[in-house]
Amino acid sequence: MINKYSKHELVAIYLGLACLLVFLLAPFAEAFFVSLRRLEDVFQVPYSLLSENMGVEAYVTMWTSVPNLLRYILNSFFIALSVTLLALLCIVPAAYAFARFEFRMRDGFLTAFLAINMIGAAVLIIPLYRLMMATGLLNTYFAMIIPGAAFCVPTGILLLRTYFLRIPRDLEEAAYVDGASRVLTMRRIILPLAMPGIVVVAITTFVTAYAQQFLFALTFNAIDDFAPLPVGLFKFFGQQHVAWNELMAASIVGTLPVLLVFFFLQRYLVAGLTSGAVKE
Amino acid sequence: MKSAGAFPYLLLVPALVLTLVIVAYPLADTVRLSFTDASLRPSYDYVGLENYADIFGGDFTVVMLRTFLWVLLAVVLKVGIGLYAAVLLNAAIPGQKLARILSMLPWIIPVAIGAFIWKWMYNGQFGMISGVGQRLGLLDGPLEFLAHRNSSFVATVLTDVWVGVPMVALFLLAAMQSIPKDLYEAAWTDGASRLYRFRRITLPLLKPSLATITLLCVIWSLNSFDIIWILTEGGPRDATTTMIVDTYKTAISRYRYGEGAARAIAILVCVSVVAGVYFSLAARRAPRESGK
C-alpha cells in the first residue's frame, strides 16, 4: 500500500511530531503547572515544571485578588458573541451576493474586501480613536464590538462565498420558477442549505474575536468594568509583584469558553476550512 | 437566473456600511491627518510633507530596517515550520487527528494570553526557557531574554511564530489534500521514493498556496502588535520597536496624531508593495496555469 510507512519513517514522523508538539504545547504545560503552584513556590530555583505541594489554591484565591475577574471573562464572551452576530449580519448576505449574482463592480468590491484583509487594525488606530471620541462611543462596549466586527467581515465573506459557490443552483431556480420571491428563497432554501458553512464562519469569527480583543480594548476603553480578559489581566504587569500562579490560572479559566467551543465544533471547523481553502 | 436588479447591492449594504465607517473613512482620515500637526489640541494646521520628511530624516529608517529583519525572520520560520508541520500532520498514522487538534491550540487561545505565558517563560530567573537551557548546559547562567537587545528581538519573533504556525500548517495541509491522489499512486507504482514524490509532486503543486500563505505571513507579521506590546512594549531601548509599535507609541502614547498618521501610511505603503509584487507575480503565472 502507498501509505504504508517503514519503521524508520514512522520513527522519524513521530519524532518530528513530538518536537512540533513540544514547541506548540510547552507554553500550555508551563501555564498549567505554574497555576498549580502555591504563591511561595512560584519563583523557584532551579527550574522545574513540578514543585512540592501543588494544588488548586490559585484558582480559589484569584477571584478575590482580581475582584473583576468574572466580569472580564463575561465581557470577553459578550464582546466576542456580539462581534460574531454583527459580523454574520454583514457576511451572510454579502457572501451570497458575491456567489450568486452578476452585477457591476462585483470584482471591484471583492478586491476591496480582499485588500481590507491586509490592513492591520493598528494602522487605523488614530482616526478610529478620534471617531470613537467624536461619536461618544469611547469607553463603551460598542468601541470594541464595531471595529472588531469590521475586521472580521472580509475573511468571513471570502470563506462563505466559496461555500455558497458549492451549493447547486438548481434548487433556487426551481423556487423562482414556482414564483417564490428572492427573500423567501433566501430564507427557506439558501440559508438552511448553507447552515454548515455559516456555522464554520461563525466559529472562526468567534474564535478570532475572542483571540484579538486586546488592541481596541486597550485603546478605546479605560473603564475596568468593560475590560475583556486580556486587557484586565494586562494590568497585572504594572504591579510590583505579579502573582503569576493566579495570572496563569485566570488565563486558563478565561480561555476555557473558547476552547470548549473549539473542541465541540472542531470537526466542522477543520473540515470547513480545509474544503473552503481548496476552492480558491 | 432572471435579472437581479438592485437585489445584490441591497445584500451588500450592511457589509459596505460597516466597512466604510470603520475602514474606508479612517483610511482617508489617516491620509489627511498625515499632512497635519494634529494632536490632543482641538485645532491643527496643515503642514504639508513635514511629517514625512521627519520620519524619513530621523530614526524611522532604523525602525523600517529593523521591521524588515523582524518580518523576514518571522516569515521564514513560520512558513518553514508550518510546512514541516503540514507534512507531519498529513501522514496517515495513528494519532493523526489528535495531533491536528492539539497543534491548533496556539491559534485558538487569545493572542494576548499566549503572550502573557511567553513573558513568564522568558523570565531569566524562573522561566522555562532559561531554566531548561541551563539544565541542558546550553546557558551558563540565567538569561533574562526580554532585557537584552538581541535576545528580546529573537524572543518576540519566536512568540509571533508560535502564534502563526498553526494557521500556516492548516492552510498548507488543506492545499496538500487537494492534490489528486492518483498522482502519488502513479509515482509510487513507478517506484518513486517518498522524498522524491514530495519534491516532484507535492512541492511544485503547493507553490501557489505557499506563495499565498507567505504573503499573508508577511502582512500578519508587519501588523503584529499585541505580542510585542505585551512582551516588551518595544524595548529594551527600542530593540523590538517595529513600525507598528512605533506608530502606536507616537500616536497613542504621545498623542502626536499627525506624525503617527504619516508612519501608518508608511506601513500601508509597505503592505501595498508586498501585495503588489505578489499579485503581479500571480497574474504572470495565471495564464500558464489556465493553459494546461
Side-chain angles (χ1 to χ4, degrees), chain B residues 176-281:
Chain B
M176 278 180 196
Q177 286 174 347
S178 75
I179 299 174
K181 295 272 181 295
D182 38 341
L183 284 178
Y184 291 105
E185 269 153 33
W188 179 70
T189 343
D190 292 347
S193 75
R194 204 173 288 276
L195 188 67
Y196 186 87
R197 293 196 303 249
F198 177 75
R199 268 186 33 217
R200 287 305 170 89
I201 301 174
T202 314
L203 219 45
L205 289 175
L206 218 53
K207 248 187 186 164
S209 306
L210 269 172
T212 306
I213 198 72
T214 305
L215 168 80
L216 289 175
C217 283
V218 171
I219 284 160
W220 289 335
S221 292
L222 261 174
N223 288 319
S224 183
F225 172 80
D226 297 8
I227 290 169
I228 301 179
W229 196 254
I230 290 168
L231 287 179
T232 62
E233 298 200 12
R237 285 185 295 130
D238 282 351
T240 54
T241 297
T242 56
M243 288 162 80
I244 201 81
V245 174
D246 185 69
T247 304
Y248 193 84
K249 276 201 248 181
T250 308
I252 303 297
S253 309
R254 293 203 285 270
Y255 304 108
R256 295 187 188 161
Y257 300 147
E259 289 169 45
R263 286 162 156 80
I265 296 298
I267 299 172
L268 279 182
V269 170
C270 289
V271 170
S272 313
V273 168
V274 174
V277 168
Y278 169 78
F279 283 116
S280 67
L281 287 179

Side-chain angles (χ1 to χ4, degrees), chain A residues 30 34 37 41-48 244, chain B residues 120-132 134 142-144:
Chain A
E30 174 79 344
V34 170
R37 289 181 200 167
D41 295 334
V42 166
F43 303 101
Q44 61 179 16
V45 178
Y47 176 82
S48 154
W244 281 95
Chain B
W120 164 259
M121 297 209 302
Y122 287 135
N123 185 302
Q125 298 282 321
F126 317 107
M128 177 187 247
I129 297 172
S130 175
V132 172
Q134 287 175 68
L143 176 57
E144 202 67 59

Side-chain angles (χ1 to χ4, degrees), chain A residues 1-5 9-10 12-14 16-17 20-21 23-28 30-31 34 37 42-49 86 89-90 93-94 96-98 100-104 109 113-114 116-120 122-133 146-147 149-151 153 157 169 172-173 176 182-183 186 204 207-208 210-212 214-215 218-219 229-230 233-234 237 244 247-248 251 255 258-259 262-263 266-267 269-270 273-274 277-278, chain B residues 1-4 7-9 11-12 14-16 18-19 21-23 25-27 29-30 32-33 38-39 44 81 84-85 88-95 97 99-113 116-121 125-128 131-132 135 158 161-162 165-167 170-171 173-175 177-178 181 184-185 188 194 197 215 219 223 225-226 229-230 233 244 247-248 251-252 255 257 260-261 264-265 267-268 271 275 279:
Chain A
M1 255 315 286
I2 183 164
N3 275 331
K4 196 100 172 151
Y5 294 95
E9 282 173 335
L10 270 182
I13 291 170
Y14 279 113
L17 270 181
L20 179 74
L21 289 179
F23 171 59
L24 294 177
L25 299 182
F28 292 94
E30 174 79 344
V34 170
R37 289 181 200 167
V42 166
F43 303 101
Q44 61 179 16
V45 178
Y47 176 82
S48 154
L49 208 53
L86 179 58
L89 204 69
C90 302
Y96 181 61
F98 282 127
R100 277 297 190 265
F101 298 105
E102 297 284 341
F103 52 94
R104 279 162 60 96
F109 281 128
F113 279 116
L114 204 80
I116 291 169
N117 254 334
M118 299 179 180
I119 302 173
V123 173
L124 300 179
I125 204 76
I126 307 157
L128 278 177
Y129 183 80
R130 290 163 51 93
L131 185 73
M132 293 302 158
M133 194 153 60
I146 298 172
F151 283 92
V153 163
I157 290 181
R169 279 169 185 251
E172 294 156 74
E173 307 269 4
Y176 289 137
R182 290 193 184 283
V183 176
M186 208 174 151
T204 39
V207 170
T208 314
Y210 205 98
Q212 299 187 340
F214 184 69
L215 176 67
L218 182 76
T219 316
L229 187 74
L233 293 183
F234 186 58
F237 294 116
W244 281 95
L247 180 68
M248 296 301 176
S251 297
T255 309
V258 70
L259 279 185
F262 174 71
F263 273 114
Q266 49 85 17
R267 242 178 325 140
L269 182 68
V270 176
L273 277 176
T274 43
V278 171
Chain B
M1 196 171 287
K2 65 183 170 184
S3 144
F7 189 59
Y9 296 102
L11 292 173
L12 286 183
L16 280 181
L18 190 64
T19 310
V21 174
I22 299 299
V23 182
Y25 163 75
L27 201 58
D29 205 32
T30 304
R32 192 181 61 84
L33 282 171
S39 64
Y44 50 85
I81 299 176
Y84 177 62
L88 290 172
L89 294 172
N90 198 28
I93 51 163
K97 261 187 86 176
R100 281 189 190 175
I101 295 174
L102 288 177
S103 60
M104 294 294 290
L105 286 182
W107 175 66
I108 302 301
I109 68 156
V111 181
I113 302 254
F116 294 156
I117 302 172
W118 279 92
K119 192 167 176 134
W120 164 259
M121 297 209 302
Q125 298 282 321
F126 317 107
M128 177 187 247
V132 172
R135 289 220 158 177
L158 194 65
V161 171
W162 180 77
V165 160
M167 206 55 207
L170 187 70
F171 189 90
L173 187 60
Q177 286 174 347
S178 75
K181 295 272 181 295
Y184 291 105
E185 269 153 33
W188 179 70
R194 204 173 288 276
R197 293 196 303 249
L215 168 80
I219 284 160
N223 288 319
F225 172 80
D226 297 8
W229 196 254
I230 290 168
E233 298 200 12
I244 201 81
T247 304
Y248 193 84
I252 303 297
Y255 304 108
Y257 300 147
I265 296 298
I267 299 172
L268 279 182
V271 170
F279 283 116

Side-chain angles (χ1 to χ4, degrees), chain A:
Chain A
M1 255 315 286
I2 183 164
N3 275 331
K4 196 100 172 151
Y5 294 95
S6 71
K7 235 182 201 142
H8 291 300
E9 282 173 335
L10 270 182
V11 170
I13 291 170
Y14 279 113
L15 214 62
L17 270 181
C19 289
L20 179 74
L21 289 179
V22 164
F23 171 59
L24 294 177
L25 299 182
F28 292 94
E30 174 79 344
F32 180 65
F33 285 113
V34 170
S35 78
L36 291 181
R37 289 181 200 167
R38 293 177 311 178
L39 193 53
E40 60 265 35
D41 295 334
V42 166
F43 303 101
Q44 61 179 16
V45 178
Y47 176 82
S48 154
L49 208 53
L50 302 166
S51 57
E52 285 175 18
N53 304 317
M54 294 173 104
V56 293
E57 197 183 282
Y59 289 85
V60 179
T61 55
M62 65 179 182
W63 303 101
T64 39
S65 49
V66 190
N68 252 349
L69 183 59
L70 184 63
R71 186 78 197 248
Y72 297 148
I73 296 173
L74 292 176
N75 281 343
S76 272
F77 202 79
F78 171 71
I79 293 169
L81 203 63
S82 310
V83 165
T84 308
L85 291 177
L86 179 58
L88 279 181
L89 204 69
C90 302
I91 291 169
V92 176
Y96 181 61
F98 282 127
R100 277 297 190 265
F101 298 105
E102 297 284 341
F103 52 94
R104 279 162 60 96
M105 301 280 296
R106 188 181 71 166
D107 293 349
F109 281 128
L110 250 183
T111 314
F113 279 116
L114 204 80
I116 291 169
N117 254 334
M118 299 179 180
I119 302 173
V123 173
L124 300 179
I125 204 76
I126 307 157
L128 278 177
Y129 183 80
R130 290 163 51 93
L131 185 73
M132 293 302 158
M133 194 153 60
T135 50
L137 291 181
L138 222 51
N139 299 322
T140 66
Y141 283 118
F142 291 109
M144 298 174 264
I145 293 168
I146 298 172
F151 283 92
C152 288
V153 163
T155 320
I157 290 181
L158 297 176
L159 204 67
L160 193 58
R161 179 179 159 262
T162 51
Y163 194 89
F164 275 129
L165 285 174
R166 291 208 313 268
I167 300 176
R169 279 169 185 251
D170 313 4
L171 290 164
E172 294 156 74
E173 307 269 4
Y176 289 137
V177 172
D178 289 348
S181 74
R182 290 193 184 283
V183 176
L184 190 73
T185 316
M186 208 174 151
R187 246 192 28 223
R188 288 291 176 77
I189 298 180
I190 311 297
L191 285 186
L193 277 176
M195 219 18 111
I198 295 173
V199 169
V200 169
V201 173
I203 301 166
T204 39
T205 309
F206 182 84
V207 170
T208 314
Y210 205 98
Q212 299 187 340
Q213 16 179 256
F214 184 69
L215 176 67
F216 294 137
L218 182 76
T219 316
F220 301 150
N221 170 49
I223 296 179
D224 193 56
D225 277 347
F226 294 166
L229 187 74
V231 172
L233 293 183
F234 186 58
K235 278 179 260 166
F236 258 79
F237 294 116
Q239 297 171 2
Q240 256 326 305
H241 298 288
V242 179
W244 281 95
N245 56 341
E246 291 177 359
L247 180 68
M248 296 301 176
S251 297
I252 290 170
V253 171
T255 309
L256 279 184
V258 70
L259 279 185
L260 285 179
V261 168
F262 174 71
F263 273 114
F264 281 117
L265 300 171
Q266 49 85 17
R267 242 178 325 140
Y268 308 97
L269 182 68
V270 176
L273 277 176
T274 43
S275 61
V278 171
K279 235 1 233 272
E280 275 304 299

Side-chain angles (χ1 to χ4, degrees), chain B residues 140-162:
Chain B
D140 308 334
L143 176 57
E144 202 67 59
F145 286 90
L146 298 177
H148 305 283
R149 294 179 62 90
N150 291 338
S151 58
S152 66
F153 188 82
V154 176
T156 45
V157 168
L158 194 65
T159 305
D160 195 59
V161 171
W162 180 77

Side-chain angles (χ1 to χ4, degrees), chain B residues 12-61:
Chain B
L12 286 183
V13 165
L16 280 181
V17 169
L18 190 64
T19 310
L20 284 175
V21 174
I22 299 299
V23 182
Y25 163 75
L27 201 58
D29 205 32
T30 304
V31 175
R32 192 181 61 84
L33 282 171
S34 73
F35 298 111
T36 71
D37 61 359
S39 64
L40 265 186
R41 284 177 290 118
S43 68
Y44 50 85
D45 296 313
Y46 284 87
V47 294
L49 289 171
E50 201 174 284
N51 290 327
Y52 290 95
D54 276 355
I55 62 173
F56 288 108
D59 299 338
F60 199 64
T61 5

